[in-house]
Amino acid sequence: MASPWKGNWRLSEKTVFLNHGSFGACPWPVLDAQRRLRDEMESGPVRFLARTHGERLDAARNTLAEFLGASAGNLVFVNNATTGVNAVARSLEFQGGDEILTTGLDYNACRNVLAEVAKQAGAKLVVADVPFPLESEDEVVAAILAAVTPRTRLAMIDHVTSNTGMALPLERIVRELEVRGVDTLVDGAHAPGMLAMDLETLGAAYYTGNLHKWVCAPKGAAFLWVRPDKQDGIQPTVISHGNNRPRPGHTAFQDRFDWPGTQDPTAWFCSVEAIRWLGGFLPGGWDELRAHHHEMVVAARRTLCERLDILPPCPESMIGAMATLPMPGKLARVTGGEALDPVYQRLYDEYGIELHVILLGGWRWFRISAHLHNSPDEYRYLADVLEQMEKESR
């Protein structure tokens, strides 16, 4: 049985959509709001982009700042978290012999940014070997701190790791790195809307996150938060008018980022509608919504572990709204180098299941996600299908 709320999304009725974590899904009320804004923009492009742009952007930023526990002066919009990582990493100056730290659980696109920055500066990219599976968040902290040296200048830490779906103990990590004189760049691609956030209290040097995932804003909505003492040197990936056109009531940081050139800004503006719409969906607002997602994915993980006779690879306390599990039996074995994973293809082509299938440590894993458009029956159906596929593989 589908979720009674699935009709608020334009997801195909033929697809069991268990991969919200990859690109999110935008509900039709938010898309309709974006369509109306686009119609307004095209009816008067100069009015929309030159006269009302700043007012709309400030209003969206103020709403987002309250949602994130952030000061609006420390917050700018970007198109996605990868853009935010690029802006920070490529703005910083490194010297030969400096070390940039990441983890083995990072996102490939963002590691590529660090690798290129390190290469150009003659610095060294260090990868902390965070274990997975693991039994405690202490193992994450220990692995990261073991990789820190007196030469470490920056550490990129995922708030929620993409492939493993784990929420890392970010407050502890940021605090321990700060004590050692290491700035933290948080890749929070999955976290906004999934986890409660208070960026000012967290106090990392840099934090970037997506709004098109659990906030369900249109694609192209993301943000970058930078601590005030770190803002001066941070440039956007596209330098435009803001570098020499200060505006009253705005920080220089905002001036540099707010106008990246002509683009469609409606995804940024509609982040307000997404926050408002989802926040009003359940009586308890966003707190109840986050709890709903967490409880659904934890229950689904328990069901899948029991049905497929597999072990959970991390504590439930490290799960937000995603969970990664090993494929059962022979399905876990990787045999060829196909362009598309054959298990992934079969799940979609034969059974209509959109699932994130991953190769980790030479073995096949899968990641489930939970949002309002999902239902417990969908995870039970996934268990039925994987049981059948595993029997056929014997």
Side-chain angles (χ1 to χ4, degrees):
M1 180 184 298
S3 164
W5 300 317
K6 188 173 181 178
N8 290 288
W9 279 260
R10 290 174 176 165
L11 295 165
S12 170
E13 294 182 1
K14 298 179 181 179
T15 302
V16 177
F17 191 70
L18 301 180
N19 189 15
H20 190 95
S22 282
F23 303 110
C26 189
W28 65 259
V30 179
L31 289 173
D32 280 358
Q34 185 182 35
R35 177 187 53 77
R36 290 192 296 270
L37 282 175
R38 283 174 165 164
D39 288 347
E40 182 182 343
M41 177 171 61
E42 296 307 326
S43 71
V46 176
R47 181 184 69 249
F48 191 91
L49 293 172
R51 295 177 190 157
T52 67
H53 179 276
E55 180 181 349
R56 294 180 195 269
L57 188 64
D58 286 341
R61 178 172 21 231
N62 289 337
T63 298
L64 179 61
E66 183 178 358
F67 180 71
L68 298 173
S71 168
N74 301 331
L75 192 65
V76 294
F77 283 97
V78 292
N79 290 338
N80 49 62
T82 304
T83 300
V85 169
N86 269 268
V88 172
R90 298 175 73 178
S91 293
L92 300 178
E93 294 184 4
F94 297 98
Q95 307 297 323
D98 286 348
E99 293 179 358
I100 305 172
L101 178 63
T102 185
T103 77
L105 304 181
D106 62 4
Y107 188 59
N108 179 65
C110 294
R111 183 187 293 193
N112 284 342
V113 180
L114 300 188
E116 182 62 23
V117 167
K119 177 183 175 182
Q120 291 183 8
K124 180 181 180 182
L125 181 61
V126 176
V127 180
D129 186 16
V130 176
F132 184 77
L134 50 74
E135 296 182 357
S136 165
E137 66 179 31
D138 293 341
E139 296 175 64
V140 177
V141 178
I144 291 171
L145 296 183
V148 174
T149 77
R151 293 182 176 274
T152 308
R153 297 291 174 263
L154 178 74
M156 183 180 73
I157 306 296
D158 291 51
H159 197 165
V160 179
T161 63
S162 180
N163 280 337
T164 72
M166 293 192 303
L168 302 188
L170 189 61
E171 293 81 3
R172 288 180 60 190
I173 295 169
V174 169
R175 184 172 64 249
E176 293 290 350
L177 289 172
E178 189 77 18
V179 167
R180 290 159 175 78
V182 179
D183 287 338
T184 304
L185 164 58
V186 182
D187 177 2
H190 293 274
M194 180 192 293
L195 305 175
M197 301 180 69
D198 188 337
L199 295 185
E200 300 295 332
T201 300
L202 175 66
Y206 317 97
Y207 192 112
T208 185
N210 288 321
L211 301 173
H212 66 263
K213 294 181 186 282
W214 266 265
V215 177
C216 292
K219 311 297 186 288
F223 67 88
L224 172 64
W225 179 95
V226 177
R227 207 169 62 201
D229 62 304
K230 299 293 180 181
Q231 291 176 9
D232 284 351
I234 303 303
Q235 291 282 359
T237 53
V238 175
I239 293 175
S240 189
H241 295 299
N243 274 29
N244 63 354
R245 292 186 181 175
R247 298 168 297 165
H250 294 82
T251 64
F253 173 57
Q254 292 173 329
D255 286 335
R256 292 193 294 273
F257 278 82
D258 280 1
W259 182 261
T262 304
Q263 64 162 12
D264 181 352
T266 57
W268 295 357
F269 300 163
C270 283
S271 63
V272 173
E273 180 63 17
I275 291 169
R276 184 203 63 77
W277 186 81
L278 278 175
F281 210 90
L282 299 177
W286 274 97
D287 287 341
E288 184 177 353
L289 189 63
R290 286 188 289 262
H292 171 273
H293 297 158
H294 172 73
E295 291 164 6
M296 179 178 287
V297 84
V298 165
R301 191 177 84 148
R302 291 174 183 168
T303 296
L304 287 160
C305 285
E306 181 179 349
R307 291 276 303 276
L308 303 177
D309 193 24
I310 52 180
L311 295 175
C314 70
E316 290 181 356
S317 61
M318 296 183 72
I319 292 175
M322 297 193 301
T324 294
L325 291 166
M327 281 286 183
K330 290 187 177 181
L331 291 182
R333 298 178 185 174
V334 180
T335 57
E338 296 90 346
L340 284 177
D341 184 273
V343 173
Y344 166 81
Q345 268 194 297
R346 190 176 174 199
L347 283 167
Y348 185 77
D349 292 344
E350 294 185 27
Y351 300 101
I353 298 175
E354 187 66 81
L355 187 71
H356 189 45
V357 177
I358 315 146
L359 303 183
L360 290 173
W363 297 91
R364 185 179 285 113
W365 299 66
F366 66 96
R367 188 191 70 196
I368 56 173
S369 301
H371 212 288
L372 287 171
H373 53 71
N374 293 122
S375 73
D377 281 345
E378 292 179 324
Y379 306 103
R380 288 190 279 268
Y381 173 61
L382 173 63
D384 291 341
V385 169
L386 289 178
E387 276 185 330
Q388 179 62 34
M389 291 177 62
E390 199 279 324
K391 289 178 183 176
E392 293 172 2
S393 68
R394 292 175 187 171

